Amino acid sequence: MSQLEYFLLTRVLLQFEQRSDDIVSDISSATFSDDGSLWIGSDEMVAVERLSPIGCHSYGEHQRFLLKDYIELFDDDEIDIEGMDFRDGYLWLTGSHSTKRKKPKGKDLETDLERLATITTDLNRFILARIPVVNGELIKSCVPAEGETKTAACLQTFDERNLLFEVLKEDVHLKPFITSGIPSKDNGLDIEGLVAASNNRIFLGLRGPVLRGWAVIIEMQLTESEPGVLTLEEITDEGAKYKKHFLDLNGLGIRELCLQGEDLIILAGPTMAVEGEMEVFRWKDALNNSGENIHQQDEDNLFPLFDLPFTVGSDHAEGLALYSCWGEQNSLMIFYDSPDSSRLREDKRILVDVFQI
């Protein structure tokens, strides 16, 4: 029995209803809220999508929520949502915080050479936010029957960036990549994973940079400094506003994270724009790490769970979420960007995979 045959449990059908875009080909992140709703993020949108369970391993009743209705954005450009999670009544999401190099179009050599030398960014990529979810709906602010008021909020922003970027650009490991403007997919700064633990504790996985084969996870503690505004709390005895964790993921960068108990499940793939295999790892007891450390692979700490099937040119795994399937509580739903045509069905429907972990 092959590794894929052992781990692949089933496929789930997602049914979208929007006809004006290609959301099925641009899924970049996903998570479930407590009411069973499936939330989908795209790297090409300024909105999040909600799907509801409509049958056996099928989700539909598609509804779109424009993020500008809940949080303040820089402009109308794409957010490049690359990480999502649900925790304590909030949907959390992050943009990539990256710059990008333009692609050649193959029409004119001189123009293509100029495009390859051009680096740009969309300011909405520098968004880290949480939005309350009530009965499957995003809410700008609400007062629960018990507990504190819940309010949509973003990490503090400045004219063109946010507080996280301002802090990281002074970091001893990340500064060379940020200040030199190295774009994403050239091993520049590129956030592609988010986990929200209790009490506004956040883990961000970096697709890049990967430092001599070591992937990076940023850990932060956030607090609401004023309504609608989050800031970084001191997270170490020395007063640091974040921690860094370095992990041996076989030279791969981080594409997404999710939390299972005290463990982090890590989706890892190539940092650069190359075709290559992707792996799923477990970092055991990640929530109880007391400080910064370098984590080598070890059966008691960090180890691979399985490789994903490899299809050249398609099925680039981008999102993952825990899912209960066929009596298996330890199941993982995997979502793909640039899906293979075999996954697509008519009328904006797509099949995603469920694996045993």
Side-chain angles (χ1 to χ4, degrees):
M1 178 178 291
S2 72
Q3 188 181 50
L4 175 59
E5 290 172 329
Y6 177 75
F7 284 104
L8 181 62
L9 294 175
T10 190
R11 284 180 164 175
V12 170
L13 183 66
L14 309 184
Q15 303 185 43
F16 295 91
E17 297 177 359
Q18 298 287 342
R19 300 295 191 269
S20 59
D21 54 71
D22 294 321
I23 180 66
V24 294
S25 62
D26 289 314
I27 295 175
S28 59
S29 56
T31 191
F32 288 94
S33 53
D34 287 345
D35 65 348
S37 296
L38 173 60
W39 298 87
I40 301 286
S42 167
D43 55 10
E44 301 290 341
M45 302 293 173
V46 289
V48 293
E49 324 293 327
R50 189 204 67 198
L51 298 177
S52 301
I54 58 174
C56 182
H57 302 301
S58 181
Y59 288 80
E61 299 179 357
H62 178 203
Q63 184 172 351
R64 171 166 293 170
F65 296 85
L66 296 176
L67 292 175
K68 67 179 182 180
D69 294 337
Y70 310 96
I71 57 176
E72 185 174 349
L73 304 179
F74 287 103
D75 50 38
D76 295 327
D77 289 333
E78 68 180 42
I79 298 177
D80 194 24
I81 299 172
E82 293 289 359
M84 296 176 66
D85 200 7
F86 178 84
R87 183 70 54 185
D88 300 333
Y90 286 104
L91 179 70
W92 287 86
L93 60 94
T94 184
S96 62
H97 292 65
S98 67
T99 58
K100 57 184 179 180
R101 186 182 301 279
K102 287 192 173 183
K103 298 178 182 179
K105 294 187 175 181
K107 296 180 180 179
D108 177 77
L109 177 58
E110 184 176 352
T111 300
D112 281 348
L113 290 174
E114 183 177 345
R115 289 180 65 85
L116 273 177
T118 303
I119 297 172
T120 65
T121 192
D122 300 312
L123 297 184
N124 283 338
R125 291 180 173 221
F126 299 89
I127 292 290
L128 174 59
R130 68 179 193 190
I131 305 174
V133 177
V134 178
N135 298 324
E137 301 282 334
L138 294 187
I139 304 294
K140 192 167 185 177
S141 182
C142 65
V143 182
E146 297 180 0
E148 299 179 354
T149 299
K150 291 184 179 296
T151 304
C154 287
L155 185 63
Q156 181 183 0
T157 58
F158 302 98
D159 290 339
E160 295 186 343
R161 300 292 188 269
N162 67 7
L163 180 59
L164 175 62
F165 183 84
E166 295 299 316
V167 169
L168 293 183
K169 74 179 185 180
E170 301 301 325
D171 179 80
V172 63
H173 294 104
L174 303 178
K175 179 178 180 179
F177 299 88
I178 296 174
T179 57
S180 59
I182 300 175
S184 63
K185 302 175 182 60
D186 285 3
N187 204 35
L189 179 67
D190 191 2
I191 296 173
E192 288 209 5
L194 180 149
V195 152
S198 297
N199 300 316
N200 299 325
R201 187 181 177 194
I202 302 297
F203 292 80
L204 298 175
L206 304 189
R207 176 173 176 169
V210 171
L211 307 180
R212 199 175 174 86
W214 297 93
V216 184
I217 289 179
I218 303 293
E219 179 185 350
M220 308 177 298
Q221 185 78 42
L222 303 183
T223 188
E224 193 167 17
S225 59
E226 58 182 274
V229 179
L230 301 172
T231 191
L232 299 173
E233 287 190 324
E234 294 182 357
I235 198 171
T236 68
D237 293 338
E238 294 75 26
K241 297 295 182 69
Y242 62 94
K243 300 176 186 176
K244 298 191 299 289
H245 306 284
F246 298 91
L247 294 85
D248 174 12
L249 305 180
N250 295 331
L252 301 174
I254 295 168
R255 296 296 185 88
E256 186 55 292
L257 305 169
C258 73
L259 190 62
Q260 185 184 35
E262 303 289 307
D263 300 351
L264 277 185
I265 306 300
I266 303 170
L267 174 63
T271 297
M272 313 290 276
V274 298
E275 297 292 335
E277 291 191 359
M278 306 187 70
E279 296 183 77
V280 177
F281 291 81
R282 181 185 296 277
W283 178 18
K284 295 189 67 174
D285 210 25
L287 294 191
N288 296 317
N289 276 268
S290 59
E292 297 186 331
N293 207 342
I294 296 176
H295 299 272
Q296 297 182 345
Q297 289 189 31
D298 183 297
E299 63 181 9
D300 296 321
N301 179 33
L302 174 69
F303 51 87
L305 294 173
F306 57 89
D307 298 342
L308 289 175
F310 176 45
T311 304
V312 175
S314 65
D315 275 359
H316 302 146
E318 289 279 347
L320 74 168
L322 292 180
Y323 181 69
S324 179
C325 174
W326 308 123
E328 294 283 348
Q329 297 299 315
N330 297 331
S331 303
L332 193 67
M333 189 177 288
I334 303 284
F335 305 80
Y336 299 89
D337 193 1
S338 303
D340 188 75
S341 60
S342 63
R343 296 186 179 278
L344 303 178
R345 299 296 184 267
E346 70 281 359
D347 296 331
K348 302 290 186 181
R349 297 191 296 169
I350 184 173
L351 293 166
V352 297
D353 292 339
V354 178
F355 292 88
Q356 176 185 341
I357 55 172

